Amino acid sequence: MKKILVFLLSVLTFSAQAAESAEGGEFSPGQMITHHIGDDYVWEFAHGVVLPLPVILYGENGLEIFSSSNFYDEHGKPRPYKGYVMDHGHIYYANEEGEPRIERGENGEAKPVGPLDFSITKNVASMFLSVILLFAVFLTIAGRYKKTRGRAPYGVQSFFEPIIIFIRDEIGKTNIGPKYERYMPYLLTIFFFIWFNNLLGLMPGGANLTGNIAVTLVLAVLTLLITLFSGNKAYWGHIFATPGVPGWLAPIMIPVELLGILTKPFALMVRLFANITAGHIVILSLFSLIFIFKSVAIAPVSVAFAIFMNFLELFVALLQAYIFTLLSAMYFGGAVEEHDGHGDHGHGDAPHAVEAHH
Amino acid sequence: MELVTPALGLLFWQVVTFLVVLFLLSKFAWKPIMGALREREESIDSALSMAEKAKLEMQSLKADNERLLNEARAERDRILKDATDAANHLVESARAKANEEGSRMIEQARLSIENEKKAALTEVKNLAATLSIDIAEKLIKRELQDEQAQRALVQSYLQDARLS
């Protein structure tokens, strides 16, 4: 089963990406890669197999919902629709010529303007797919636990149970301490959300969801909010009156500590985003080599490297989910820890050894 | 720059979707799963400790049995010994009693024989005395019929007795 999956993953990824890269006259690897790791209003599984996604706009004319296929005429040429025009992956107000409307900002910079865009883009659709998967898998497992109460797990349940126990024991209990139970739903959810989406991103035609800064931003902000709201007296005391630091250093220490609160989730955000995006870029670059050299001879080399990268990415998908969860747990642990004046203070010094690999 | 600018739409959908997922999974997946895991761990734990307890109980039961058996053996030995002793004692005392009785009977017999003997002797003596008296009476009766001779005899006695 796993072998077939890996095979499909490798082969289909190549074909889909190779096919798409070949379109157009002049091949531009930069454009192709940017297009692949970016968001889109359609879901292109392979060249010609395109699923148009709904566009939801809130602008001058109020709420508008229509299919993104309206932006293309029957020959596949772009066209404006209902006063909106799509240009370089963004939707702007259209002017009379069917071009994006340009307005000058306060600093005199010319900028195209557009409505508030809540479209179900490729990333959003991919996220919905992952959510369906998450529900399907974990509600099934939960049902199994209810049905075979107190008995040995089987099937998908026995695959996920060790992972759940690992997250509970090695991430939750170890880093948060006795209050770990409160944080388990969040930790489990982010772990499986990130992992599933990482893997979906590796699927042929998959979206680069966890390599999108908006997604990692939301996850990091949630971690930050939970950390701040669960911070106890010791946590805030450590920030505003760091033990062992003379009082006159407070004007320096307090801003540094406050900055530290923000840098931790910022690092979380950038780490996941950069790791996943980088993986996609490397694989796409390897394929681009074939078209840059315009030679079939280079293909085996590219493919070999890409296969290697794909396996690496499968590992990174798991590793990044683990690191994100682990660091979140450490921040929570730091916030709820009863300080005795020693140790790591939950500032996440320990996992740097792990991060160094990436 | 495009790459690191979060898009509003995705931000919105991500927040909404993730919170919904978090809520629904917490309620319908993680809670029952964690509960079931904890329950199972507890049941395994209790089963193990119960097995341990049962083992200890078994051991103590075995020890108890052993002790009881030993006690029973000791009791049996004691009872046997007692019975033997009692039997021996009984035989001994019976024998002693028999001996005593025998000797007592022998003594009694001896005494009665003695008494019988004495009685017989006394009777014989009495009989002899009666006979002697009868004989003497008869003799004397005969002797005293001859008055002359009596006188002569008295005379002779008187003569022998020196009257002083």
Side-chain angles (χ1 to χ4, degrees):
Chain A
M1 176 65 199
K2 209 160 55 176
K3 271 182 197 155
I4 297 168
L5 212 79
V6 170
F7 173 74
L8 283 179
L9 203 73
S10 320
V11 171
L12 290 180
T13 314
F14 303 154
S15 57
Q17 286 165 349
E20 206 170 334
S21 316
E23 72 184 301
E26 194 63 24
F27 175 68
S28 155
Q31 254 178 27
M32 185 276 280
I33 292 171
T34 316
H35 175 71
H36 264 274
I37 61 177
D39 212 346
D40 207 348
Y41 290 97
V42 294
W43 199 339
E44 188 164 19
F45 298 100
H47 192 55
V49 186
V50 173
L51 177 71
L53 296 165
V55 172
I56 303 169
L57 300 172
Y58 187 78
E60 291 162 341
N61 311 330
L63 192 66
E64 296 268 13
I65 302 173
F66 53 87
S67 163
S68 69
S69 59
N70 289 316
F71 281 121
Y72 299 96
D73 59 20
E74 57 269 25
H75 305 296
K77 291 269 178 283
R79 64 169 188 196
Y81 182 76
K82 279 190 175 174
Y84 300 105
V85 65
M86 188 156 67
D87 184 56
H88 287 99
H90 287 283
I91 292 176
Y92 303 111
Y93 295 123
N95 56 17
E96 291 76 29
E97 294 91 51
E99 295 291 315
R101 194 195 303 163
I102 308 290
E103 271 177 21
R104 291 198 177 275
E106 296 105 50
N107 48 6
E109 201 185 340
K111 242 167 57 178
V113 286
L116 294 178
D117 185 354
F118 296 108
S119 304
I120 308 296
T121 57
K122 184 178 164 190
N123 275 337
V124 178
S126 168
M127 178 164 67
F128 287 167
L129 183 67
S130 78
V131 168
I132 292 169
L133 262 177
L134 279 168
F135 281 147
V137 169
F138 290 105
L139 294 185
T140 310
I141 293 177
R144 290 269 175 85
Y145 276 107
K146 273 187 207 145
K147 213 163 26 173
T148 62
R149 204 171 190 82
R151 275 190 280 152
Y154 68 97
V156 69
Q157 189 187 5
S158 54
F159 176 77
F160 281 103
E161 185 176 301
I163 302 173
I164 293 170
I165 290 176
F166 176 82
I167 293 168
R168 189 193 61 183
D169 292 351
E170 302 303 319
I171 297 179
K173 271 186 200 167
T174 320
N175 293 299
I176 299 178
K179 291 178 185 160
Y180 76 96
E181 204 123 1
R182 221 186 319 160
Y183 301 97
M184 284 321 293
Y186 179 71
L187 294 179
L188 287 165
T189 310
I190 49 168
F191 180 83
F192 287 111
F193 183 85
I194 294 172
W195 190 29
F196 275 41
N197 277 303
N198 284 348
L199 290 179
L200 280 178
L202 289 175
M203 295 291 273
N208 181 25
L209 182 72
T210 39
N212 190 297
I213 196 95
V215 172
T216 60
L217 174 71
V218 170
L219 295 176
V221 166
L222 283 174
T223 294
L224 171 68
L225 288 178
I226 295 174
T227 312
L228 291 183
F229 281 114
S230 52
N232 58 12
K233 227 168 90 187
Y235 174 74
W236 293 112
H238 192 271
I239 285 166
F240 289 108
T242 315
V245 174
W248 56 268
L249 271 178
I252 305 171
M253 286 309 288
I254 291 174
V256 167
E257 288 284 349
L258 287 176
L259 206 63
I261 296 178
L262 292 177
T263 51
K264 282 183 268 177
F266 185 79
L268 275 184
M269 171 182 83
V270 172
R271 183 183 299 113
L272 181 58
F273 155 73
N275 269 291
I276 303 304
T277 303
H280 284 235
I281 291 176
V282 169
I283 293 178
L284 291 168
S285 306
L286 286 168
F287 287 119
S288 298
L289 285 179
I290 304 172
F291 301 98
I292 291 170
F293 287 108
K294 292 199 166 93
S295 155
V296 183
I298 201 86
V301 183
S302 277
V303 168
F305 271 110
I307 290 172
F308 169 72
M309 277 308 295
N310 242 317
F311 277 110
L312 192 66
E313 283 305 301
L314 283 175
F315 170 65
V316 169
L318 182 61
L319 185 73
Q320 287 305 320
Y322 166 68
I323 288 175
F324 199 105
T325 315
L326 176 72
L327 289 178
S328 294
M330 296 189 85
Y331 301 154
F332 301 156
V336 297
E337 189 183 20
E338 300 298 337
H339 278 288
D340 47 6
H342 295 292
D344 182 37
H345 296 308
H347 278 217
D349 302 331
H352 287 179
V354 180
E355 287 163 43
H357 294 302
H358 289 274
Chain B
M1 210 51 217
E2 165 87 34
L3 208 56
V4 290
T5 315
L8 178 75
L10 189 53
L11 267 181
F12 169 76
W13 286 113
Q14 164 72 7
V15 171
V16 170
T17 317
F18 188 79
L19 289 181
V20 168
V21 169
L22 182 60
F23 173 74
L24 289 180
L25 280 187
S26 306
K27 200 160 154 50
F28 297 113
W30 305 134
K31 212 171 127 198
I33 291 174
M34 300 298 283
L37 283 177
R38 197 172 45 240
E39 195 177 285
R40 195 164 69 210
E41 270 156 24
E42 273 164 9
S43 85
I44 290 172
D45 240 33
S46 72
L48 280 177
S49 64
M50 255 162 74
E52 188 67 23
K53 231 169 77 186
K55 207 172 114 192
L56 285 176
E57 228 159 66
M58 266 314 256
Q59 268 171 2
S60 80
L61 219 67
K62 220 171 120 189
D64 260 20
N65 279 349
E66 197 77 13
R67 198 173 50 76
L68 274 174
L69 209 67
N70 281 341
E71 264 172 20
R73 271 200 202 109
E75 182 80 12
R76 187 198 61 188
D77 286 355
R78 200 177 55 72
I79 289 171
L80 267 175
K81 196 165 151 293
D82 278 7
T84 320
D85 282 359
N88 283 347
H89 184 73
L90 215 66
V91 168
E92 203 62 37
S93 72
R95 185 182 288 150
K97 214 166 150 193
N99 278 350
E100 196 181 305
E101 188 75 2
S103 50
R104 197 178 57 78
M105 277 166 73
I106 290 167
E107 184 68 17
Q108 224 169 21
R110 206 172 52 79
L111 274 177
S112 81
I113 288 168
E114 197 77 18
N115 285 346
E116 290 295 321
K117 202 172 103 187
K118 272 183 189 159
L121 275 178
T122 314
E123 204 164 318
V124 167
K125 273 180 190 163
N126 286 344
L127 198 61
T130 315
L131 272 174
S132 306
I133 290 171
D134 282 353
I135 293 169
E137 193 185 277
K138 278 179 181 152
L139 272 178
I140 290 169
K141 257 180 193 169
R142 225 172 155 136
E143 282 294 315
L144 285 177
Q145 282 172 350
D146 187 2
E147 222 178 294
Q148 254 8 45
Q150 292 299 320
R151 284 197 199 231
L153 194 59
V154 173
Q155 252 351 291
S156 74
Y157 284 152
L158 287 170
Q159 262 175 12
D160 279 353
R162 288 169 198 133
L163 296 168
S164 44

